[in-house]
């Protein structure tokens, strides 16, 4: 499991009484190193690695489904390449980094107008059974 924490708490210099929605933005998430699930916590203090969905400061999670390696020809998975000509009308490359928005309005209301926001993300792959055992939703086999 990988762990990421904001280097410094994010300042929140706003009055939350007039806020209808507050989003946490994850910008430039890469999709070229395999699938993972990210578990997001805010103002959780010293968070243990086994913290899961039942933690009181758990905001939500998102999954990124991605391939681990390229099976195509050379440059097939080069998402940085861009259009090959001004007339290239193909859609964006399937590995182009994405942005993910997460609604944290309810957690901010629960925290009671915090002045700062400390964000911790635990990112785990499916094979990280011990690190995600408490965090995964039950899986049922479909037939």
């Amino acid at each position: 499991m990988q762990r990421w924490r904001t280097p410094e708490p994010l300042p929140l210099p706003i009055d939350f009484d007039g806020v209808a929605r507050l989003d946490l933005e994850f910008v430039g998430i890469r999709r070229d190193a395999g699938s993972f699930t990210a578990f997001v916590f805010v103002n959780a203090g010293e968070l243990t690695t086994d913290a899961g969905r039942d933690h009181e400061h758990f905001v939500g999670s998102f999954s990124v489904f991605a391939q681990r390696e390229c099976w195509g020809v050379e440059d097939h998975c080069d998402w940085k390449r861009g259009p090959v000509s001004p007339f290239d009308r193909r859609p964006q490359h399937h590995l182009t980094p994405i942005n993910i928005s997460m609604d944290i309005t309810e957690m901010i209301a629960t925290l009671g107008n915090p002045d700062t926001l400390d964000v911790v993300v635990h990112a785990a792959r499916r094979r990280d059974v011990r690190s995600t055992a408490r965090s995964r939703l039950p899986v049922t086999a479909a037939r």
Side-chain angles (χ1 to χ4, degrees):
M1 174 175 46
Q2 292 182 350
R3 179 183 175 133
W4 178 84
R5 174 176 234 132
T6 48
E8 295 181 16
L10 305 170
L12 295 173
I14 57 175
D15 179 23
F16 293 100
D17 293 333
V19 174
R21 179 180 168 122
L22 187 65
D23 285 353
L24 186 59
E25 293 285 329
F26 296 91
V27 179
I29 297 172
R30 293 189 50 182
R31 301 183 287 174
D32 60 349
S35 300
F36 65 92
T37 299
F39 301 92
V40 183
F41 305 85
V42 295
N43 291 5
E46 292 303 317
L47 192 65
T48 61
T49 56
D50 66 343
R53 296 176 191 272
D54 57 344
H55 192 278
E56 64 182 335
H57 291 271
F58 174 74
V59 177
S61 64
F62 60 88
S63 294
V64 174
F65 300 100
Q67 61 195 37
R68 268 195 100 94
E69 57 191 48
C70 183
W71 294 357
V73 296
E74 188 176 335
D75 291 337
H76 174 261
C77 292
D78 183 10
W79 57 268
K80 297 177 186 175
R81 181 178 61 192
V84 294
S85 78
F87 302 103
D88 187 355
R89 296 190 178 265
R90 291 178 291 177
Q92 254 186 350
H93 194 282
H94 65 283
L95 294 179
T96 301
I98 59 173
N99 299 336
I100 294 180
S101 180
M102 180 177 285
D103 182 1
I104 61 170
T105 311
E106 286 184 34
M107 179 56 71
I108 295 300
T110 302
L111 294 173
N113 288 344
D115 294 332
T116 60
L117 193 64
D118 183 37
V119 180
V120 177
V121 178
H122 287 178
R125 299 188 189 283
R126 176 135 173 94
R127 72 175 188 276
D128 296 340
V129 176
R130 277 185 269 146
S131 64
T132 60
R134 292 184 58 217
S135 303
R136 273 196 322 237
L137 290 175
V139 177
T140 57
R143 292 186 178 203

